[in-house]
Each structure stands twice: as C-alpha cells, then as structure tokens.
Amino acid sequence: MITCERLTKTFQSVTAIQDLSITIPDGCIFGLLGPNGAGKTTTMRMLSCLIQPTSGKAHIDSYEIGNKEDAQHIRKMIGLLPEVPGLYETLGAYKNLDFYAQLYGVPKKQREESIQTTLTNLDLWDRRDEPVGGFSKGMKQKIAIARALIHDPKYIFLDEPTASLDPMAAKVVREYILELKKKGNTILINTHNLSEAERICDSVALVKNRIVKVGNPKDLAKGLFTRTINITIKKIPSTLLKDIESFSLVSQAHVQGNQLILNVKNPEEDNPQIITWLLKQGLQIQFISEEEHSLEDVYLKLIEEAGQ
Amino acid sequence: MIRWKNAWIVMRKDLAEFKKQKFVIGSIVAMPIFLGVVLPLVMFVPMVTMVPLDRPWDINGLLEIGNLPDDATIPWTNKTIQNGSFDSTILNHTKIQNTSLTHCIIDSCILENTTIQDSTIQKSVLHDSILINVTVIRAEGASLDGRNILAISSDLRFIKTKPSEIDQVLPMMFNMILMIFIIVPATLPTIIATYSIVGEKNNRSLEPLLATPTTDGELLTGKIFSSFVPSMGATYLAFTLGVVLLDIVLIPKVGYPILPNLTWILSMLLLAPTACLMSVLACVLVSSKVSDVRAAQQLGGFVIMPVVLLMLGVLAGFIFLSPVMIFIFAGLYGALDVGLFLFAKAIFNREAILTKWS
Ligand SMILES: Nc1ncnc2c1ncn2[C@@H]1O[C@H](COP(=O)(O)OP(=O)(O)OP(=O)(O)O)[C@@H](O)[C@H]1O
Ligand SMILES: [Mg+2]
C-alpha cells in the first residue's frame, strides 16, 4: 500500500506539488491526472526515492520515503518508467534490459528467459543487438516499459506509458497493465489521456500542483454538473421552448435541430412528469437519453476551476 | 558497503557503450601513442644516427645518479696500477661466474655470483656479486641500484667519469618520455570520465539508473573504473610499444635492452594508475555537479595540476624520479585519491544530479 500525507515538493520558488494526500491500496491501478506542470512527474519521482519531499510523509508498505535506509528496499520493490525512455542508445535492446536485470539482481537463467520472452513478445528478438537509437519512439517506449518490469516489481510506476504509442500499441499496453493488476501488482500511472484513465484506473487523483479531486473516474462527475437530458422529437413546434421554460422542473432548455436539450436537477423524479407533459402536447418522442459527462468534461471543468 | 558486483555491472555497461564510440576510442588510443611513442622516436632516431658510436652510452649510470655518492676521490688510481694483474683483453667483455677476484681491473665484463675484493670495475654489469673494498667506475646495467649486489663492504666507492654531452641529454629525455606516460593517463579520463555522468544525464538514462537499488558508492565506483580501465589500457599499450621501439633504436648504442628499468616499471605500476585515478575522480566529481559536458571537461582539466607540477619539477631538475621518489609521489597521489573518492561520495546527490539544470 502506498500512502501520502500532505506530500509537498518545492523547487526553489516553484511549488511542484503541495499537500498531496492519497492512499493507493494494493492491487489497484491509480491514475494521477493533471495538466502539464501539475506535479505528476515530481510526485512519481518522490515515490521512487529519486528526490526528497520538501515536507509531508509518504510510505510504501512499511518503508518511509525520504529515509535513506528504506530507500534501498523501496527501490527494489518499484519498477519505474520515466517520462523519457532513457535507454542506452548505442546498445542493443538485449543489453539494455540485461543491464537493468543484473542491477536488480535477477538470477542469470531467469534473466535470459524473461528477456527472451519479452523481446519475442515485442517482435524484437531478431533485432535484439541492434542499437536501440535506431528504433522508433514507440519501440523505445515498449523496451522502456519492459525494463521497468524486468525484475517483477510489486509496485509499477508508469509516467505517461502510452504517450508515444499508436492506438494498437497503446491498447496492448493497457491490456498488459490490466493483466499486471490481475497478478496483484499495484500500478501508479501518470497520464493526460483521460479515456485511458477512465478505462483502466480504479481510482484517479486530479492534480494541479495540489489535489483537486480523488475518486473513481465514473463517480468524479457526480454533483459536478446539473444533469442534461436529450429528447429527440419528430417535429418541434417553435413555441415549445417558451412553454417549457415556464416549467419549474427545467432549469435551462434549448433546441438543437430536432433535439430538445434540458437541464434537469433531479431527472429520476422529474423526467416522468416532463415526458408526460410533452406527450400531452401531442409531440412524437423518438429517443430520450441522458448526456453523459466524460472524464474529459470533469477534468476540464475541475482544472479550470482550480486555476481560478 | 560497496557491492562490487553492482559496480562491476555498471562498469561493464559503460565499457560496452564505450566500445561503440569508435572515434573516442580512436583518440584515446592515438593520443598516448603519438605523445609517448611517435614523438620520442622522432627525437631519438636522428640522435642515434648522428652521434658516433665511440663507446656505449652510459645511460643507466647517469639515470641512477641519485644512488651514487658525489664523493669521487681518487685513491684507487694507485691501487689499480700497482696491483693490476689481469690483462685487459682477458677481462674485457668477459663473463665471470662464481669466481673470487682480488686486486683486479675489470672492464666491460659481466660478473655473476662473484666475490670482488679490492678491485676496480669499469663499465661492467654485476649480478649477484659480493663487493668488498671495491671501486666501481662507470659500471653499467642493473647492478648499481643495489638489487643484484648481495653485499657491499663499507669501503665501496663509486667513481664516475665526466659525462659526455649525450650522457647529460639522454636522462633528461628519458625522464621526459616517462613523464609523458604519467601525464597521458591523467589527461585521458577528462575525455571519458566527464561524459560518464553528465552524458547519462543529458540522454536521460540517469533517471531509471538512479531508481535501481544501486548505492551511490557502487555507481561511483563503476563510473570510476569505466574511465580508469580504458585510460590505463591505452597508456599501457603505448608504453609497451614505446619501450619496445626505443629499445630497438637504442640497443646498437647501449648494447642491451635498457628499458624498462626499475624506475620506469615502478612509475607505470604506481605513479601512472594513481595519477589516472586522481584525474578520473576529479572528473566524476565535477561531472556530478555540472550539467554540461564541455564545462565538465574543462573543469576536469584542472585536476591534472598535481601531475603537471610533478612534471615541471622533473623537467626543471628539482625532482629526480628515483624509485624512492616514485613511492613518495604515488603515496601522495594515492592519499589524494582516497580523499577525492570520499569527497565525491559525500557530495554525490541523486536529487541534484537529476534535477539541477543550471
Ligand atoms: N528540476 C526542476 N527544477 C525546477 N522546477 C521543476 C523541476 N522539476 C519540475 N519542476 C517544476 O515543478 C512543476 C511540476 O513539474 P512536473 O514535471 O512534476 O509536472 P508534470 O505534471 O509531470 O507535467 P507534464 O505533464 O508536462 O509531464 C513544474 O512547474 C516544473 O516547472
Ligand atoms: Mg511529467
């Protein structure tokens, strides 16, 4: 389990992240979501014992971040994919992975097997000795991800893992992340990719130099927006808008083509009454749906508010 | 506690990377060969061909001048004349083994396992000899440093004749060549070592590396050796080549392979590595504090100052590179090395290396 209590990091005059308090239970995929410069990478670096927190506390299992003796233990438990792959460009994929496997103390036989499996899966086994400098961005990213996992760490920190991958590759990575979760790994992901966060994260924290909101991506929208109902009507009379605005249950309404879009405070209770009223007006209703707020809407709204 | 295995892994990785940089390897190998081999040969070959071969050059006698008492009184002249019983033709270029010699003049001979008593020896090589009341005049070879002389009586005297010009110049040149082989390993690391940390920082491979459970000491040690090994390798390569070629050039004049002598061997085994290590350490130290490769290289250049000072001392004649002097300087450099390592380790700060960009 990872816990942060009021974790803060200040660089000279810039506060990268302030008072971050989150708990990441074992076996879950946690997303750190936020705009550029929100402090996601900084947070991940603190949790990887690469930089010291300015204040606040964080623990990984029973080990404390910032404690020099614990750092060794923490580093062993973590696999980190940094923002930039940072491979040794003149060396081959095999050497790159082997170097890290050795540093993490993976036994020789296991090392050879797992590198071969990994590179075969990545379709790179035949090119294992080619300098990776010549590989595409996405291929490098995949090798870097493989590097983070080479010692089978319990905690996996991925800083924008799919940022340079094509949709197919991104999907493969996402599926792989979900598989890792099934195996019991705990995964922390930094991302801008909201649909990705929505699809794979059990929990997300919206950050913008401080925490904006934490929760399940599906629940984040709750209470944030008045809810919007779309009603598609075969033919909308021009007077309808005026009539419906006098309806006390509707806070706002407008017409778009043959869609009537209504903001309703409590649709579970109010919708039946509204529909009944519409039918009474002799209108032919084709479709009724609630407009879903994506994480993107939530994100944009919250981040905008946080900026103010 | 340093886990040497981790340092070893880091070094092997660095060397693997290094192997791919053909141009860097080229310059690392070319520099010592040019300075330590080509340059000396260019100086020696004309000299060898121009100076007439009147007698063997007295190189070692002068090189070992520090071991000879300056007192060169002449009570021997009478003795020799009075007791000279060997015909010079017999004792010239003769090898004498397991013999006891009394009141002899021994000229240009090799004496092994021999007791020499009340005799005069000229231009000879002594092996495992016992010298009692002997005067040695310009004897050559490995004998005069005392290694092969089993016992020396208190009346032993060394006499040197007035050296010729070439005898004066040669030791200077030899010292210069030797200094090149000490300066070079102190210079080479500024090319490699400064790259080792700043380079990793700039190509962003430092972050995942620092996230591994390797300790500061292990990382530093690995980085130190990955600069030290190629620097010393190139130095030893050039040294071997230089010694062989110089011997080939000088054998016609001196009569035997004069290099490497004790001073040269000790210099290579003690002085060159400690000087090289000092430079490596200083470069690693600088490059963990600076974020630009060029700045690191320039700052790293300062660290060879103690080595340059030694060279100036040698060339100006203040310091004579005798074995004792080599031990003293190697000890000094070694102590500096230990201090520098501890200092580098103390100020090695993962966070600063990773996050400071100015
Ligand atoms: N080494 C540093 N020195 C000074 N300021 C820094 C440093 N690293 C980060 N910062 C500052 O801290 C803030 C957060 O940076 P961070 O890299 O953590 O953001 P991020 O959320 O990862 O952004 P992105 O999505 O662009 O990767 C930024 O304002 C940045 O300028
Ligand atoms: Mg980032």
Side-chain angles (χ1 to χ4, degrees):
Chain A
M1 190 168 78
I2 303 175
T3 49
C4 306
E5 285 165 58
R6 311 201 60 179
L7 199 61
T8 301
K9 179 70 191 180
T10 310
F11 293 103
Q12 289 101 41
S13 55
V14 186
T15 300
I17 188 88
Q18 189 168 15
D19 291 334
L20 181 81
S21 298
I22 48 173
T23 301
I24 306 173
D26 279 349
C28 113
I29 303 180
F30 192 96
L32 271 180
L33 223 56
N36 292 127
K40 306 182 293 295
T41 299
T42 304
T43 305
M44 203 169 259
R45 283 180 167 177
M46 281 193 280
L47 292 178
S48 319
C49 296
L50 288 170
I51 58 180
Q52 292 274 337
T54 313
S55 68
K57 273 203 174 133
H59 286 86
I60 296 187
D61 291 348
S62 57
Y63 300 114
E64 187 180 350
I65 299 288
N67 180 325
K68 222 173 169 206
E69 264 126 58
D70 288 0
Q72 285 299 320
H73 297 283
I74 294 173
R75 290 196 180 111
K76 266 185 220 154
M77 295 194 295
I78 288 174
L80 171 71
L81 170 77
E83 265 181 319
V84 182
L87 299 168
Y88 297 106
E89 308 253 315
T90 52
L91 302 182
Y94 191 97
K95 280 239 168 80
N96 266 287
L97 294 179
D98 193 47
F99 172 55
Y100 275 88
Q102 287 184 47
L103 280 184
Y104 281 108
V106 182
K108 189 167 163 58
K109 197 147 181 295
Q110 194 184 330
R111 209 159 73 209
E112 285 167 355
E113 276 169 18
S114 78
I115 295 175
Q116 177 164 5
T117 318
T118 311
L119 289 180
T120 310
N121 286 343
L122 291 178
D123 261 343
L124 287 174
W125 179 247
D126 294 333
R127 303 176 66 185
R128 61 187 178 274
D129 293 326
E130 265 178 56
V132 298
F135 286 1
S136 76
K137 224 169 137 190
M139 282 154 81
K140 286 186 197 167
Q141 180 77 351
K142 288 185 213 166
I143 297 170
I145 294 173
R147 182 188 59 197
L149 303 173
I150 201 78
H151 56 298
D152 197 12
K154 179 175 174 195
Y155 294 99
I156 300 164
F157 295 172
L158 306 169
D159 201 342
E160 299 176 29
T162 57
S164 52
L165 299 181
D166 64 51
M168 267 297 283
K171 186 164 171 246
V172 171
V173 167
R174 277 197 295 272
E175 276 161 9
Y176 193 52
I177 293 173
L178 288 170
E179 232 166 81
L180 288 169
K181 178 189 157 179
K182 271 192 216 137
K183 265 177 52 193
N185 291 98
T186 309
I187 300 148
L188 174 65
I189 298 183
N190 283 356
T191 184
H192 303 125
N193 187 330
L194 299 157
S195 65
E196 175 171 301
E198 215 164 2
R199 263 181 273 175
I200 64 172
C201 292
D202 300 306
S203 193
V204 295
L206 237 69
V207 291
K208 191 178 179 191
N209 305 116
R210 57 186 178 77
I211 209 151
V212 176
K213 197 151 187 179
V214 195
N216 183 297
K218 294 183 185 71
D219 299 337
L220 278 184
K222 274 197 187 137
L224 261 188
F225 302 94
T226 46
R227 295 163 70 180
T228 309
I229 309 297
N230 279 358
I231 305 169
T232 313
I233 298 168
K234 202 163 184 189
K235 190 164 176 291
I236 298 180
S238 50
T239 52
L240 180 66
L241 202 55
K242 223 161 141 202
D243 293 343
I244 207 156
E245 271 182 344
S246 60
F247 215 102
S248 63
L249 299 175
V250 175
S251 59
Q252 219 185 359
H254 63 278
V255 171
Q256 211 172 56
N258 57 349
Q259 282 194 333
L260 176 65
I261 299 160
L262 306 174
N263 282 0
V264 181
K265 281 188 197 101
N266 193 356
E268 282 80 2
E269 301 294 316
D270 303 341
N271 278 0
Q273 295 185 48
I274 297 169
I275 306 299
T276 313
W277 183 82
L278 285 172
L279 289 172
K280 263 191 202 151
Q281 307 301 307
L283 298 174
Q284 290 181 302
I285 296 173
Q286 288 173 312
F287 304 99
I288 304 177
S289 65
E290 176 172 11
E291 190 173 285
E292 292 227 6
H293 289 283
S294 65
L295 189 57
E296 185 170 350
D297 300 322
V298 177
Y299 175 91
L300 290 174
K301 185 167 160 82
L302 285 175
I303 294 300
E304 199 170 287
E305 280 173 11
Q308 284 159 7
Chain B
M1 248 308 284
I2 287 178
R3 286 164 298 179
W4 292 99
K5 196 166 161 238
N6 279 354
W8 175 251
I9 295 166
V10 171
M11 180 194 81
R12 280 238 316 268
K13 188 277 296 174
D14 272 11
L15 290 182
E17 269 192 293
F18 181 69
K19 263 198 287 191
K20 304 273 175 151
Q21 297 173 308
K22 298 278 184 302
F23 283 106
V24 181
I25 295 185
S27 58
I28 295 257
V29 173
M31 185 172 132
I33 289 185
F34 178 76
L35 291 178
V37 181
V38 178
L39 217 61
L41 283 180
V42 168
M43 299 193 303
F44 269 110
V45 172
M47 205 151 72
V48 171
T49 44
M50 273 156 53
V51 177
L53 213 175
D54 56 341
R55 56 177 182 76
W57 291 358
D58 186 13
I59 292 169
N60 252 19
L62 281 160
L63 273 184
E64 303 292 348
I65 218 164
N67 288 344
L68 301 179
D70 274 340
D71 166 42
T73 45
I74 320 183
W76 57 272
T77 324
N78 290 334
K79 265 189 209 158
T80 331
I81 292 164
Q82 279 167 9
N83 301 310
S85 53
F86 280 92
D87 190 296
S88 63
T89 49
I90 296 173
L91 277 174
N92 253 348
H93 304 287
T94 312
K95 190 168 179 177
I96 303 162
Q97 263 178 318
N98 303 321
T99 314
S100 185
L101 301 166
T102 317
H103 308 295
C104 291
I105 303 170
I106 304 152
D107 192 3
S108 306
C109 293
I110 296 171
L111 298 104
E112 278 181 359
N113 301 325
T114 301
T115 310
I116 308 155
Q117 204 164 1
D118 303 328
S119 300
T120 303
I121 309 167
Q122 292 193 24
K123 300 187 210 165
S124 298
V125 183
L126 311 176
H127 290 298
D128 302 337
S129 304
I130 299 167
L131 282 74
I132 307 160
N133 294 332
V134 176
T135 306
V136 181
I137 308 167
R138 298 183 63 252
E140 286 172 0
S143 56
L144 291 181
D145 51 27
R147 272 185 309 172
N148 298 322
I149 297 175
L150 297 179
I152 300 172
S153 83
S154 53
D155 293 339
L156 180 67
R157 280 196 199 87
F158 291 93
I159 311 289
K160 48 186 172 170
T161 48
K162 185 174 170 289
S164 70
E165 273 165 33
I166 195 92
D167 289 340
Q168 283 176 313
V169 171
L170 273 182
M172 281 269 295
M173 293 175 65
F174 268 49
N175 266 343
M176 234 169 76
I177 299 169
L178 185 54
M179 281 318 298
I180 289 174
F181 284 117
I182 295 165
I183 288 281
V184 159
T187 322
L188 291 179
T190 56
I191 305 173
I192 320 169
T194 46
Y195 185 80
S196 73
I197 290 176
V198 181
E200 287 227 18
K201 174 175 177 166
N202 285 345
N203 81 21
R204 300 299 191 114
S205 52
L206 198 58
E207 182 165 357
L209 179 58
L210 292 179
T212 63
T214 28
T215 62
D216 298 353
E218 290 157 10
L219 264 180
L220 277 177
T221 309
K223 290 288 173 191
I224 287 162
F225 278 103
S226 62
S227 309
F228 180 78
V229 169
S231 301
M232 284 314 294
T235 304
Y236 283 152
L237 177 77
F239 181 78
T240 312
L241 204 65
V243 161
V244 169
L245 289 178
L246 280 176
D247 273 342
I248 289 175
V249 171
L250 289 173
I251 278 179
K253 299 286 169 183
V254 185
Y256 62 98
I258 186 168
L259 295 174
N261 60 24
L262 182 65
T263 307
W264 281 46
I265 290 172
L266 283 181
S267 296
M268 280 299 113
L269 290 184
L270 299 176
L271 214 48
T274 45
C276 179
L277 203 57
M278 183 156 57
S279 162
V280 170
L281 277 161
C283 292
V284 167
L285 193 83
V286 168
S287 69
S288 64
K289 287 276 142 192
V290 173
S291 50
D292 176 60
V293 176
R294 272 159 301 169
Q297 278 175 355
Q298 263 148 28
L299 277 171
F302 279 112
V303 299
I304 59 169
M305 283 320 278
V307 185
V308 173
L309 285 181
L310 173 65
M311 184 180 81
L312 291 179
V314 167
L315 293 186
F318 293 130
I319 300 168
F320 185 85
L321 271 186
S322 63
V324 176
M325 219 21 131
I326 290 168
F327 276 111
I328 291 175
F329 270 91
L332 202 73
Y333 291 177
L336 270 172
D337 290 342
V338 173
L340 273 171
F341 178 76
L342 293 178
F343 185 57
K345 203 170 146 235
I347 67 163
F348 186 84
N349 178 330
R350 286 174 188 240
E351 169 157 359
I353 292 176
L354 202 59
T355 60
K356 285 242 165 61
W357 288 96
S358 55

PDB file of all heavy atoms in Angstrom, chain A residues 34-42 44 82-83 159-160 190-192, ligand 2:
ATOM      1  N   GLY A  34      -3.543  15.235 -14.657  1.00  0.00           N
ATOM      2  CA  GLY A  34      -3.385  16.673 -14.479  1.00  0.00           C
ATOM      3  C   GLY A  34      -2.712  17.280 -15.679  1.00  0.00           C
ATOM      4  O   GLY A  34      -2.089  16.579 -16.477  1.00  0.00           O
ATOM      5  N   PRO A  35      -2.828  18.588 -15.820  1.00  0.00           N
ATOM      6  CA  PRO A  35      -2.245  19.262 -16.983  1.00  0.00           C
ATOM      7  C   PRO A  35      -0.717  19.299 -16.899  1.00  0.00           C
ATOM      8  O   PRO A  35      -0.140  18.880 -15.903  1.00  0.00           O
ATOM      9  CB  PRO A  35      -2.825  20.682 -16.888  1.00  0.00           C
ATOM     10  CG  PRO A  35      -3.122  20.874 -15.452  1.00  0.00           C
ATOM     11  CD  PRO A  35      -3.488  19.534 -14.909  1.00  0.00           C
ATOM     12  N   ASN A  36      -0.077  19.809 -17.912  1.00  0.00           N
ATOM     13  CA  ASN A  36       1.385  19.951 -17.911  1.00  0.00           C
ATOM     14  C   ASN A  36       1.808  20.782 -16.719  1.00  0.00           C
ATOM     15  O   ASN A  36       1.193  21.785 -16.402  1.00  0.00           O
ATOM     16  CB  ASN A  36       1.878  20.634 -19.183  1.00  0.00           C
ATOM     17  CG  ASN A  36       1.670  19.764 -20.405  1.00  0.00           C
ATOM     18  OD1 ASN A  36       1.077  20.192 -21.382  1.00  0.00           O
ATOM     19  ND2 ASN A  36       2.124  18.549 -20.345  1.00  0.00           N
ATOM     20  N   GLY A  37       2.850  20.320 -16.064  1.00  0.00           N
ATOM     21  CA  GLY A  37       3.364  21.076 -14.932  1.00  0.00           C
ATOM     22  C   GLY A  37       2.551  20.923 -13.664  1.00  0.00           C
ATOM     23  O   GLY A  37       2.720  21.674 -12.716  1.00  0.00           O
ATOM     24  N   ALA A  38       1.672  19.910 -13.638  1.00  0.00           N
ATOM     25  CA  ALA A  38       0.802  19.743 -12.475  1.00  0.00           C
ATOM     26  C   ALA A  38       1.529  19.106 -11.297  1.00  0.00           C
ATOM     27  O   ALA A  38       1.033  19.126 -10.181  1.00  0.00           O
ATOM     28  CB  ALA A  38      -0.411  18.900 -12.852  1.00  0.00           C
ATOM     29  N   GLY A  39       2.693  18.530 -11.571  1.00  0.00           N
ATOM     30  CA  GLY A  39       3.446  17.904 -10.486  1.00  0.00           C
ATOM     31  C   GLY A  39       3.335  16.390 -10.473  1.00  0.00           C
ATOM     32  O   GLY A  39       3.689  15.751  -9.486  1.00  0.00           O
ATOM     33  N   LYS A  40       2.887  15.809 -11.564  1.00  0.00           N
ATOM     34  CA  LYS A  40       2.735  14.352 -11.616  1.00  0.00           C
ATOM     35  C   LYS A  40       4.099  13.657 -11.589  1.00  0.00           C
ATOM     36  O   LYS A  40       4.323  12.749 -10.800  1.00  0.00           O
ATOM     37  CB  LYS A  40       1.991  13.942 -12.906  1.00  0.00           C
ATOM     38  CG  LYS A  40       0.659  14.634 -13.102  1.00  0.00           C
ATOM     39  CD  LYS A  40      -0.025  14.150 -14.357  1.00  0.00           C
ATOM     40  CE  LYS A  40       0.683  14.550 -15.653  1.00  0.00           C
ATOM     41  NZ  LYS A  40       0.701  16.003 -15.900  1.00  0.00           N
ATOM     42  N   THR A  41       4.969  14.130 -12.479  1.00  0.00           N
ATOM     43  CA  THR A  41       6.298  13.506 -12.543  1.00  0.00           C
ATOM     44  C   THR A  41       7.032  13.706 -11.225  1.00  0.00           C
ATOM     45  O   THR A  41       7.686  12.794 -10.714  1.00  0.00           O
ATOM     46  CB  THR A  41       7.094  14.115 -13.708  1.00  0.00           C
ATOM     47  OG1 THR A  41       6.394  13.842 -14.918  1.00  0.00           O
ATOM     48  CG2 THR A  41       8.487  13.537 -13.789  1.00  0.00           C
ATOM     49  N   THR A  42       6.897  14.895 -10.670  1.00  0.00           N
ATOM     50  CA  THR A  42       7.547  15.178  -9.389  1.00  0.00           C
ATOM     51  C   THR A  42       7.074  14.201  -8.316  1.00  0.00           C
ATOM     52  O   THR A  42       7.874  13.665  -7.551  1.00  0.00           O
ATOM     53  CB  THR A  42       7.239  16.623  -8.974  1.00  0.00           C
ATOM     54  OG1 THR A  42       7.655  17.486 -10.033  1.00  0.00           O
ATOM     55  CG2 THR A  42       7.956  16.990  -7.705  1.00  0.00           C
ATOM     56  N   MET A  44       5.827  11.215  -8.738  1.00  0.00           N
ATOM     57  CA  MET A  44       6.339   9.881  -9.030  1.00  0.00           C
ATOM     58  C   MET A  44       7.812   9.765  -8.649  1.00  0.00           C
ATOM     59  O   MET A  44       8.243   8.746  -8.133  1.00  0.00           O
ATOM     60  CB  MET A  44       6.141   9.597 -10.513  1.00  0.00           C
ATOM     61  CG  MET A  44       6.109   8.129 -10.826  1.00  0.00           C
ATOM     62  SD  MET A  44       5.566   7.843 -12.501  1.00  0.00           S
ATOM     63  CE  MET A  44       3.869   7.363 -12.267  1.00  0.00           C
ATOM     64  N   PRO A  82      10.189   6.164 -16.629  1.00  0.00           N
ATOM     65  CA  PRO A  82      10.235   7.628 -16.562  1.00  0.00           C
ATOM     66  C   PRO A  82       9.549   8.257 -17.778  1.00  0.00           C
ATOM     67  O   PRO A  82       9.171   7.551 -18.715  1.00  0.00           O
ATOM     68  CB  PRO A  82      11.722   7.949 -16.558  1.00  0.00           C
ATOM     69  CG  PRO A  82      12.446   6.666 -16.689  1.00  0.00           C
ATOM     70  CD  PRO A  82      11.481   5.589 -16.987  1.00  0.00           C
ATOM     71  N   GLU A  83       9.449   9.576 -17.725  1.00  0.00           N
ATOM     72  CA  GLU A  83       8.813  10.308 -18.834  1.00  0.00           C
ATOM     73  C   GLU A  83       9.484  10.012 -20.170  1.00  0.00           C
ATOM     74  O   GLU A  83       8.833   9.863 -21.184  1.00  0.00           O
ATOM     75  CB  GLU A  83       8.943  11.812 -18.574  1.00  0.00           C
ATOM     76  CG  GLU A  83       7.753  12.412 -17.905  1.00  0.00           C
ATOM     77  CD  GLU A  83       7.928  13.906 -17.706  1.00  0.00           C
ATOM     78  OE1 GLU A  83       9.033  14.348 -17.351  1.00  0.00           O
ATOM     79  OE2 GLU A  83       6.940  14.624 -17.894  1.00  0.00           O
ATOM     80  N   ASP A 159       5.075   6.668 -16.009  1.00  0.00           N
ATOM     81  CA  ASP A 159       4.860   8.084 -16.306  1.00  0.00           C
ATOM     82  C   ASP A 159       4.479   8.206 -17.777  1.00  0.00           C
ATOM     83  O   ASP A 159       5.325   8.069 -18.649  1.00  0.00           O
ATOM     84  CB  ASP A 159       6.141   8.876 -15.996  1.00  0.00           C
ATOM     85  CG  ASP A 159       5.858  10.359 -15.777  1.00  0.00           C
ATOM     86  OD1 ASP A 159       4.773  10.814 -16.201  1.00  0.00           O
ATOM     87  OD2 ASP A 159       6.716  11.050 -15.199  1.00  0.00           O
ATOM     88  N   GLU A 160       3.237   8.435 -18.026  1.00  0.00           N
ATOM     89  CA  GLU A 160       2.703   8.535 -19.383  1.00  0.00           C
ATOM     90  C   GLU A 160       3.139   7.358 -20.259  1.00  0.00           C
ATOM     91  O   GLU A 160       3.859   7.531 -21.251  1.00  0.00           O
ATOM     92  CB  GLU A 160       3.122   9.867 -20.003  1.00  0.00           C
ATOM     93  CG  GLU A 160       2.564  11.018 -19.184  1.00  0.00           C
ATOM     94  CD  GLU A 160       3.018  12.370 -19.688  1.00  0.00           C
ATOM     95  OE1 GLU A 160       3.276  12.478 -20.897  1.00  0.00           O
ATOM     96  OE2 GLU A 160       3.096  13.300 -18.879  1.00  0.00           O
ATOM     97  N   ASN A 190       0.822   8.049 -14.473  1.00  0.00           N
ATOM     98  CA  ASN A 190       0.639   9.473 -14.779  1.00  0.00           C
ATOM     99  C   ASN A 190       0.105   9.563 -16.190  1.00  0.00           C
ATOM    100  O   ASN A 190       0.662   8.936 -17.093  1.00  0.00           O
ATOM    101  CB  ASN A 190       1.976  10.198 -14.776  1.00  0.00           C
ATOM    102  CG  ASN A 190       2.460  10.464 -13.374  1.00  0.00           C
ATOM    103  OD1 ASN A 190       1.766  10.167 -12.416  1.00  0.00           O
ATOM    104  ND2 ASN A 190       3.654  11.013 -13.262  1.00  0.00           N
ATOM    105  N   THR A 191      -0.905  10.335 -16.388  1.00  0.00           N
ATOM    106  CA  THR A 191      -1.404  10.405 -17.762  1.00  0.00           C
ATOM    107  C   THR A 191      -2.171  11.694 -18.026  1.00  0.00           C
ATOM    108  O   THR A 191      -2.678  12.348 -17.122  1.00  0.00           O
ATOM    109  CB  THR A 191      -2.285   9.182 -18.091  1.00  0.00           C
ATOM    110  OG1 THR A 191      -2.679   9.237 -19.441  1.00  0.00           O
ATOM    111  CG2 THR A 191      -3.505   9.115 -17.205  1.00  0.00           C
ATOM    112  N   HIS A 192      -2.187  12.068 -19.311  1.00  0.00           N
ATOM    113  CA  HIS A 192      -3.097  13.114 -19.767  1.00  0.00           C
ATOM    114  C   HIS A 192      -4.266  12.471 -20.478  1.00  0.00           C
ATOM    115  O   HIS A 192      -5.201  13.133 -20.851  1.00  0.00           O
ATOM    116  CB  HIS A 192      -2.449  14.003 -20.833  1.00  0.00           C
ATOM    117  CG  HIS A 192      -1.184  14.644 -20.409  1.00  0.00           C
ATOM    118  ND1 HIS A 192      -0.023  14.502 -21.110  1.00  0.00           N
ATOM    119  CD2 HIS A 192      -0.912  15.442 -19.358  1.00  0.00           C
ATOM    120  CE1 HIS A 192       0.924  15.186 -20.516  1.00  0.00           C
ATOM    121  NE2 HIS A 192       0.418  15.759 -19.452  1.00  0.00           N
TER     122      HIS A 192
HETATM  123 MG    MG C   2       5.505  14.745 -16.286  1.00  0.00          MG
END
